[in-house]
Amino acid sequence: MQKLNQDPFLWTKLRYAIVFDRDQLAFKTLFKKNYPDLYDFGHANIKSPVPVEDIISEIFMKLWLLEDKLMEIENIKTYLFRSVRS
């Protein structure tokens, strides 16, 4: 599976599909491509009583509900990692 940071146009394609078409498959792809790295990062860096899985799920749920925010995000990896950390 190709990573978002290896294809500069992949994030743009996914973002437009999610925002303008409400494409659930594109959103699922975004989740699947990022979940493993976010999970590992969370377990290594978060000292929270909330399970990392719940933190990641909440981030993606907010992105789906506030899909217009996706148009403001240039680097999705940076956004997601910062969201997990905070």
Side-chain angles (χ1 to χ4, degrees), residues 5-51:
N5 59 350
Q6 293 173 337
D7 181 353
F9 300 107
L10 183 57
W11 166 233
T12 300
K13 290 183 240 177
L14 289 173
R15 177 171 48 180
Y16 277 82
I18 294 165
V19 173
F20 296 113
D21 300 332
R22 295 298 286 161
D23 186 333
Q24 292 180 7
L25 182 58
F27 193 76
K28 187 175 183 178
T29 300
L30 178 66
F31 181 85
K32 284 185 168 186
K33 287 183 175 291
N34 287 285
Y35 186 85
D37 291 338
L38 293 172
Y39 182 85
D40 292 343
F41 177 80
H43 272 286
N45 295 292
I46 296 176
K47 307 298 183 226
S48 169
V50 178

Side-chain angles (χ1 to χ4, degrees), residues 42-81:
H43 272 286
N45 295 292
I46 296 176
K47 307 298 183 226
S48 169
V50 178
V52 172
E53 297 89 345
D54 292 348
I55 294 169
I56 296 169
S57 293
E58 185 175 322
I59 291 165
F60 278 93
M61 186 170 43
K62 285 180 182 176
L63 281 177
W64 180 255
L65 295 173
L66 303 170
E67 79 277 359
D68 289 345
K69 184 166 180 62
L70 290 175
M71 295 310 292
E72 300 169 13
I73 301 170
E74 290 299 319
N75 188 323
I76 189 63
K77 285 289 224 188
T78 300
Y79 175 85
L80 292 171
F81 278 91

